[in-house]
Amino acid sequence: GTYLAAVKLFSAGAATSENKGVVYAVITPEKNIIKDLNSASDVVGFKAGRTGWTATSNVSSPNNLFDGSTSTRINCNQIGNVVTVNMGGVHTASALEFTGYPVKNIQVEYSTDGPTWASAGTVADSELVFTGNNANSQGYTYIGFTELFEASNLRLTFNCPNSSSSRRRVTEFNVYELDGTDPAVYTVAGADNTFTGAITHH
C-alpha cells in the first residue's frame, strides 16, 4: 500500500529554503535477506549458465562480465557503480560472485519482469567474503542470501574503494542458483530400502 508520513528533513552543507512549497520524499523499504558469510564454503548452489546474458551500466563494457575471461574487465568508479543484468530467464538465486579487486557496499535488487524491482538488501563489509590477500590483490567477492529468490534481472549498485584506479576492476560476475525456492531432499538407498518423509515449511 501507500502511506503518508510526516517527516522533518535537515540539511548538512546544502542551501535550503522554507518558502518553496511542499516537498515530497518517496521512501522505499529495503528487505534485507543478506546472509552473513564466514568463508567461501558457506556459499550454496551451482553457477548458473550465462549464455545470452546482457548488461547495461554507467561504466564501460559491462558485457565483459560474462565472457569467461579474466583478461577483460569493467573499470569501476570508487562509488556509485550500477550494473543491471538481464539473465534472459528466471533463476533461483542463492549467492553472487564478483571476480576482481574488492567491491563494497553492494546493494542488490532483483526483478522477474524488468520494470518492477524488489530489494534483497545492502551488504555490510562483515557479511561478504573476499578471498584475495588484501585490497590490492585480486580474488572473489561472495554474497549469500538467507532466502532464495527468483529473478530474471539483477540491479547491482556497488563501490570499488581502492585508491588506485588500476585496482578498481571487476572481470567476471556469476550467480549461484538452486532448482527452486522449495527445499530439496536427496537420498541414496538400496533397492530394498524405502525412503519416506515429508517437507514441512516453518
Side-chain angles (χ1 to χ4, degrees):
T2 302
Y3 300 89
L4 286 177
V7 296
K8 188 171 183 178
L9 305 178
F10 295 88
S11 167
T16 61
S17 173
E18 296 180 359
N19 60 358
K20 297 297 183 183
V22 178
V23 176
Y24 295 95
V26 178
I27 300 170
T28 303
E30 180 181 82
K31 178 181 179 181
N32 193 320
I33 56 172
I34 305 299
K35 183 179 180 181
D36 187 2
L37 299 179
N38 296 309
S39 69
S41 62
D42 290 342
V43 173
V44 297
F46 308 91
K47 287 185 181 180
R50 302 180 298 175
T51 302
W53 287 22
T54 60
T56 57
S57 179
N58 65 342
V59 295
S60 62
S61 306
N63 289 310
N64 285 343
L65 296 173
F66 320 123
D67 64 1
S69 172
T70 55
S71 298
T72 59
R73 62 184 182 268
I74 59 171
N75 295 316
C76 302
N77 305 309
Q78 279 192 298
I79 60 173
N81 305 286
V82 182
V83 177
T84 303
V85 179
N86 184 336
M87 297 183 285
V90 175
H91 295 266
T92 304
S94 59
L96 308 178
E97 175 192 88
F98 291 81
T99 307
Y101 291 96
V103 293
K104 298 288 184 71
N105 196 36
I106 307 153
Q107 181 183 3
V108 180
E109 297 170 280
Y110 61 94
S111 173
T112 55
D113 58 13
T116 307
W117 294 90
S119 172
T122 300
V123 186
D125 290 354
S126 61
E127 294 174 320
L128 60 78
V129 166
F130 177 63
T131 64
N133 293 325
N134 52 55
N136 294 316
S137 64
Q138 297 191 63
Y140 301 97
T141 299
Y142 292 103
I143 303 158
F145 303 103
T146 58
E147 301 175 13
L148 303 178
F149 61 85
E150 294 183 337
S152 59
N153 299 270
L154 294 170
R155 186 161 59 202
L156 310 163
T157 305
F158 58 94
N159 299 338
C160 291
N162 200 298
S163 59
S164 171
S165 60
S166 64
R167 296 188 176 97
R168 294 197 294 267
R169 295 173 175 174
V170 178
T171 59
E172 291 290 298
F173 173 75
N174 281 287
V175 172
Y176 285 76
E177 65 175 346
L178 294 175
D179 291 337
T181 55
D182 288 330
V185 174
Y186 301 91
T187 181
V188 177
D192 57 345
N193 293 323
T194 302
F195 177 82
T196 60
I199 297 172
T200 303
H201 291 274
H202 295 281

